[in-house]
Amino acid sequence: QVQLVESGGGLVQPGGSLRLSCAASGFTFSRYRMTWYRQAPGKERELVASIPSGGGITNYADSVKGRFTISRDNVKNTVYLQMNSLKPEDTAIYYCSAPTLGSWGQGTQVTVSS
């Protein structure tokens, strides 16, 4: 069974940093593009970042470009989201996904507040 388990969320002050992790199992991780989405209350789900199966060229929402970095480790079957210079508007539940599998993790809460 496909399993995606996010971790690393929490409460951080504006300007701070967090590193999210998503541990994958139940599928051939190295063959799938991985993504991070987020959803804030009252807003629709937003694609934050995407990384191809083998790494390389990554994609980011305009709102996070220059601040967030997606990466992956195909040996550890883990995808990461390094979040720097965090802003209150980054507050959301963050989910990782293998889009072509239609699989999602349970999410991890990120709250940016002073």
Side-chain angles (χ1 to χ4, degrees):
Q1 53 271 1
V2 173
Q3 190 170 10
L4 298 169
V5 181
E6 299 97 334
S7 62
L11 175 64
V12 65
Q13 292 183 320
S17 297
L18 285 173
R19 191 192 196 203
L20 307 184
S21 298
C22 175
S25 61
F27 65 102
T28 306
F29 178 80
S30 63
R31 295 187 180 181
Y32 288 85
R33 173 176 292 272
M34 297 298 297
T35 63
W36 285 96
Y37 283 81
R38 66 186 181 186
Q39 188 163 30
K43 296 186 177 181
E44 68 180 28
R45 188 180 64 188
E46 176 187 22
L47 177 63
V48 174
S50 178
I51 187 167
S53 59
I57 298 174
T58 53
N59 300 104
Y60 300 92
D62 287 343
S63 58
V64 308
K65 282 182 179 176
R67 300 188 297 119
F68 290 12
T69 302
I70 188 172
S71 61
R72 66 191 295 157
D73 186 331
N74 284 349
V75 175
K76 295 182 177 181
N77 288 353
T78 302
V79 61
Y80 305 94
L81 187 67
Q82 178 66 47
M83 306 186 295
N84 299 326
S85 301
L86 283 161
K87 304 174 180 180
E89 52 262 45
D90 296 318
T91 296
I93 301 174
Y94 285 71
Y95 302 89
C96 77
S97 176
T100 59
L101 288 178
S103 299
W104 299 85
Q106 84 289 348
T108 186
Q109 176 71 49
V110 172
T111 302
V112 185
S113 176
S114 59

